[in-house]
Amino acid sequence: MTTSPSPEETAATKPVEPSGLTSATPSSSSAWLSRFRLSPLLRGWRGAVVVYLAFVGAYLGASGGRLRAHSQYNHYVYLADGWLHGRLTLAGPPPNENDWAKIDVLKLKDGRELRGIYGGGRIGGPADRLYPLRGDPFTVPAAEIASRSTIRLVSFPPFPAIPMLPFVAIWGLHFNDVLFTALWAGLNPMLLFLLLRALRARGLSRRSEIDDLWLTAMFGVGSVYYFCSVIGEVWFTAQIIAVTLSIVYVWASIEARRPVLAGICVALGIATRPSLGGLLPLFLFEAVRAVGGPDALRDRKSRRALLRSLFKLAVPLAVGGAALAGYNYARFQNPFEFGHRFMPVQWQDRMFRFGLFNYHFLSRNLAAALVLLPRIMTRYPYVKVSQHGMSLLVTSPNLAYTVMPQERSPLTKALWITILATALPSLLYQNSGYVQWGYRFSLDYMICFMVLLAVGNRPLTKLFRALVVVAFAINLFLAIGFDRYTEFSYDDSFFPHGNN
């Protein structure tokens, strides 16, 4: 069996472009940039370093004063600190009340211990009702309770705390998650640039190096990735690390060449953003294509090759899934419970009524993702952005080109199905991503959009490049203004059932 080029081999190889292809012909932007010898700078590992430095500079610059200290919502730092001290819970009260799980612990006079939400909380139940970690709620009379206490936990999937461990071991709870996130964020445009180069080396893309740079810029500073990279905070740090895993997963899945690595990425992805489990269709389609397509499965040798590939994918998934289930059970007595239901937030009642995922939330989330627009005003501040975000076609108008490829790629069908599978959990989720200035959940599948643009091979026209510049201006505004200039945002009643 042949093996795919490694990132080092891919980075060091300049492929011969097929002749007679529009997208391989140097565009006016490519020729202009070549006069400044930019194209040679993008070759080999030197190009990867240049891309990293350019984008990490953009993220650190937009972070600005945020870099002076850790963010308010550095939950992963607290999670890592707890592990280092042998705890699954916080040592005491959290620094704020934004998205920390809270469990009531009741010790009864008969010696039993019960855990859950007691007294209804924001659920609105009777004062003596216990909503246990598992099972149906029941009444616990106050006269039967010997003592009552609470424990606090980080409910978010745990993987992002792992790379923080060595830094938290040094700096403790003062570790700067804003700086960590911005420096990590610079890796993803670099990895995307290398992925686009690998697609060209494998004959799936006919883009020039300058085309790849435009696509990388569209992702790195022309999408919601920009503002998510400069804030720190538990929600955005998870999005940034999830993007890293999705890029490596896509690279490993092309032609199903690295099934073990693909399985590791999905397992860690689920432990970062559970919706990344929806990335699996890409590998499954590529595994079938690698053995010759559906027709080849009539042959026993092809079926065995497919099963071997799927087994290698499944092993790290099973190991990672078992570890995550055990971790959840140790905290919440339920292998499938991350703890979000136990956060004492104002929409806790909604989570208990509808669950975390429900058709009930679909129309709201579709609106936030596709049609929600900013308010345009005739007086200062002139523009106001909903705290539910903005349409993807506002923050990244170039995404419209994904439905207008110049040619159909072997990857097209697999990528679209993967996008739909990954997007569906977020579209059914009880939260739109609030508070945000752009639809941040799209980052779970944004890399698939970027690959669609690359393999569609439609020339990057002046209009396309102009839209990248416009998107950069929009997302720079989001990166600088989010959580700083509140006059540019609003929280309205357009969406039902509270703030979300």
Side-chain angles (χ1 to χ4, degrees), residues 231-345:
I231 301 166
E233 302 185 358
V234 57
W235 313 278
F236 305 103
T237 299
Q239 298 276 184
I240 298 308
I241 292 177
V243 168
T244 306
L245 296 169
S246 68
I247 295 173
V248 178
Y249 167 79
V250 171
W251 178 79
S253 296
I254 301 301
E255 299 170 358
R257 299 261 182 125
R258 287 175 169 77
V260 174
L261 179 58
I264 291 172
C265 288
V266 174
L268 296 180
I270 293 171
T272 303
R273 294 267 313 149
S275 54
L276 262 62
L279 293 173
L280 281 170
L282 176 62
F283 185 91
L284 301 180
F285 274 90
E286 284 296 278
V288 172
R289 185 169 76 91
V291 299
D295 293 339
L297 295 179
R298 298 189 183 96
D299 176 64
R300 175 182 288 184
K301 185 177 179 181
S302 296
R303 290 197 301 271
R304 286 181 175 176
L306 176 63
L307 290 175
R308 280 196 301 270
S309 184
L310 295 180
F311 178 77
K312 292 177 181 179
L313 173 78
V315 168
L317 276 173
V319 172
L324 188 58
Y327 176 70
N328 287 338
Y329 188 86
R331 298 183 303 157
F332 299 108
Q333 300 175 14
N334 185 337
F336 306 107
E337 178 64 70
F338 285 102
H340 276 34
R341 290 190 308 131
F342 300 100
M343 296 187 301
V345 292

Side-chain angles (χ1 to χ4, degrees), residues 189-448:
M190 180 189 76
L191 291 173
L192 174 61
F193 186 73
L194 294 176
L195 172 61
L196 297 176
R197 185 183 292 173
L199 293 173
R200 187 168 70 250
R202 296 179 188 182
L204 294 167
S205 168
R206 297 167 182 174
R207 301 293 184 188
S208 68
E209 289 162 331
I210 301 300
D211 285 344
D212 289 345
L213 186 60
W214 274 105
L215 293 175
T216 302
M218 174 195 157
F219 167 76
V221 294
S223 75
V224 294
Y225 183 81
Y226 197 176
F227 97 87
C228 290
S229 299
V230 304
I231 301 166
E233 302 185 358
V234 57
W235 313 278
F236 305 103
T237 299
Q239 298 276 184
I240 298 308
I241 292 177
V243 168
T244 306
L245 296 169
S246 68
I247 295 173
V248 178
Y249 167 79
V250 171
W251 178 79
S253 296
I254 301 301
E255 299 170 358
R257 299 261 182 125
R258 287 175 169 77
V260 174
L261 179 58
I264 291 172
C265 288
V266 174
L268 296 180
I270 293 171
T272 303
R273 294 267 313 149
S275 54
L276 262 62
L279 293 173
L280 281 170
L282 176 62
F283 185 91
L284 301 180
F285 274 90
E286 284 296 278
V288 172
R289 185 169 76 91
V291 299
D295 293 339
L297 295 179
R298 298 189 183 96
D299 176 64
R300 175 182 288 184
K301 185 177 179 181
S302 296
R303 290 197 301 271
R304 286 181 175 176
L306 176 63
L307 290 175
R308 280 196 301 270
S309 184
L310 295 180
F311 178 77
K312 292 177 181 179
L313 173 78
V315 168
L317 276 173
V319 172
L324 188 58
Y327 176 70
N328 287 338
Y329 188 86
R331 298 183 303 157
F332 299 108
Q333 300 175 14
N334 185 337
F336 306 107
E337 178 64 70
F338 285 102
H340 276 34
R341 290 190 308 131
F342 300 100
M343 296 187 301
V345 292
Q346 57 187 313
W347 45 88
Q348 189 177 44
D349 171 59
R350 188 183 62 221
M351 289 189 279
F352 272 81
R353 281 192 294 137
F354 298 105
L356 292 178
F357 302 92
N358 196 297
Y359 172 80
H360 178 81
F361 307 118
L362 180 60
S363 59
R364 176 207 61 194
N365 292 335
L366 282 172
L370 299 176
V371 300
L372 186 56
L373 301 177
R375 288 178 178 171
I376 307 299
M377 307 166 67
T378 58
R379 61 185 184 279
Y380 184 84
Y382 304 109
V383 174
K384 281 198 170 190
V385 179
S386 170
Q387 292 186 0
H388 291 275
M390 285 191 289
S391 165
L392 284 170
L393 296 177
V394 175
T395 53
S396 295
N398 301 77
L399 290 177
Y401 284 81
T402 58
V403 298
M404 297 182 286
Q406 179 167 283
E407 57 192 59
R408 186 174 177 84
S409 165
L411 298 177
T412 301
K413 181 179 179 181
L415 287 168
W416 276 113
I417 291 176
T418 300
I419 289 169
L420 292 174
T422 310
L424 186 60
S426 296
L427 292 174
L428 296 174
Y429 187 52
Q430 58 87 23
N431 190 327
S432 65
Y434 176 96
V435 175
Q436 61 186 358
W437 279 13
Y439 188 65
R440 61 183 174 90
F441 290 161
S442 65
L443 293 180
D444 294 340
Y445 43 89
M446 185 65 73
I447 296 305
C448 293

Side-chain angles (χ1 to χ4, degrees), residues 71-82:
S71 73
Q72 280 186 285
Y73 310 116
N74 55 343
H75 295 48
Y76 286 126
V77 175
Y78 278 80
L79 183 58
D81 181 73

Side-chain angles (χ1 to χ4, degrees), residues 154-192:
V154 176
S155 68
F156 295 91
F159 176 69
I162 294 177
M164 290 187 180
L165 281 170
F167 307 105
V168 176
I170 298 171
W171 287 286
L173 296 178
H174 298 290
F175 175 58
N176 191 325
D177 61 315
V178 181
L179 180 61
F180 173 86
T181 303
L183 293 176
W184 187 295
L187 294 172
N188 290 331
M190 180 189 76
L191 291 173
L192 174 61

Side-chain angles (χ1 to χ4, degrees), residues 474-489:
I474 292 171
N475 288 283
L476 177 62
F477 166 70
L478 303 188
I480 293 174
F482 181 77
D483 81 359
R484 283 172 168 166
Y485 303 108
T486 56
E487 65 267 33
F488 290 102
S489 70

Side-chain angles (χ1 to χ4, degrees), residues 138-172:
F138 56 90
T139 298
V140 180
E144 297 180 6
I145 300 173
S147 66
R148 176 180 175 180
S149 60
T150 61
I151 56 176
R152 309 304 298 268
L153 306 96
V154 176
S155 68
F156 295 91
F159 176 69
I162 294 177
M164 290 187 180
L165 281 170
F167 307 105
V168 176
I170 298 171
W171 287 286

